[in-house]
DNA sequence: TCCATATTTCCACGATACTGGAAATATGGA
DNA sequence: TCCATATTTCCAGTATCGTGGAAATATGGA
């Protein structure tokens, strides 16, 4: 990932509501959630949310697909792991201090 | 890491100059770099840089220590790995799609 | 003490971001 | 066709951010 790409992902996530949206969608899994439900869950007006979904979507962190009247948003797992890898490789080159806590967390969290 | 903490780190890094400062300091290693050299390397006026160093420092991503007339800044490796772990654990709970690319990168990059 | 160097603080300007009302668009059903 | 629902686009107001000039502070050396 080039750093420009990483920058757009970082700034998309660097906002309370958008980070919350992303976390919600990650938890929602591959089925995703319609925009309206996200707005309700976060208690944000639908047009405000729409702007934020757009920013996350432009950063490629989420994707929206129309399904009937709703638009279902899903998290893009590749994108977030790409960002994490960018941070790791950018920081980790020979830097065991950064890398090994991440490895440890990965092992206990999932792998 | 609480998400508020993560948010301040994300927004500190979500800016071109500041991301560049951080990368530079990571590469500089434990010896760090004086503010003036950072400013010269990035071609940013010293007072502008100072504001950006302050933001990174408030997010705990870097630390400055006076040494003679200079102030030497170093990257805080714990902080960045904390952020990475936050992103991983926040995304990774049972999500092998996110976790395994990160593990693979970690293994080839450093561990 | 006086001066040069290194950096920060103060302050104000311009740019960008966040927000939400109102209107527009898209879909599905009666 | 008409209406309700779901979401977006348009637009403008406010707030926050990034920037850099000028002055202030801190340090070390002559």
């Amino acid at each position: 990932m080039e750093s420009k790409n990483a920058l757009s992902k970082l700034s998309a996530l660097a906002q309370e509501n958008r980070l919350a949206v992303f976390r919600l969608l990650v938890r929602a899994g591959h089925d995703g959630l319609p925009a309206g439900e996200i707005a309700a869950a976060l208690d944000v007006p639908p047009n405000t949310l729409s702007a934020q979904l757009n920013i996350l979507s432009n950063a490629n962190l989420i994707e929206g697909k129309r399904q009937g009247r709703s638009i279902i948003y899903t998290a893009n797992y590749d994108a977030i792991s790409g960002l994490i890898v960018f941070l790791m490789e950018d920081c980790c080159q020979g830097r065991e201090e950064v890398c090994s806590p991440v490895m440890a967390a990965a092992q206990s969290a999932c792998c």
Side-chain angles (χ1 to χ4, degrees), chain A:
Chain A
M1 181 182 313
E2 337 82 81
S3 94
K4 191 175 170 186
N5 190 352
L7 211 49
S8 79
K9 288 182 172 52
L10 286 169
S11 42
L13 292 177
Q15 205 268 341
E16 197 168 4
N17 283 327
R18 288 195 300 264
L19 184 58
V21 167
F22 187 75
R23 296 174 80 177
L24 191 62
L25 289 179
V26 165
R27 279 161 183 68
H30 292 292
D31 292 343
L33 285 175
E37 275 186 41
I38 304 174
L42 302 187
D43 194 28
V44 170
N47 57 344
T48 299
L49 181 76
S50 180
Q52 294 171 331
L53 290 172
N54 215 37
I55 289 169
L56 285 165
S57 185
N58 287 337
N60 198 35
L61 283 164
I62 67 174
E63 193 181 356
K65 277 189 176 141
R66 180 171 287 277
Q67 194 169 301
R69 267 179 280 201
S70 299
I71 297 182
I72 307 290
Y73 282 92
T74 50
N76 181 355
Y77 297 113
D78 282 357
I80 188 70
S81 71
L83 175 61
I84 295 172
V85 168
F86 169 84
L87 291 173
M88 284 245 320
E89 296 196 326
D90 194 50
C91 296
C92 207
Q93 332 193 26
R95 304 253 154 235
E96 184 264 345
E97 310 97 303
V98 174
C99 214
S100 58
V102 174
M103 286 285 276
Q107 265 156 357
S108 76
C110 51
C111 304

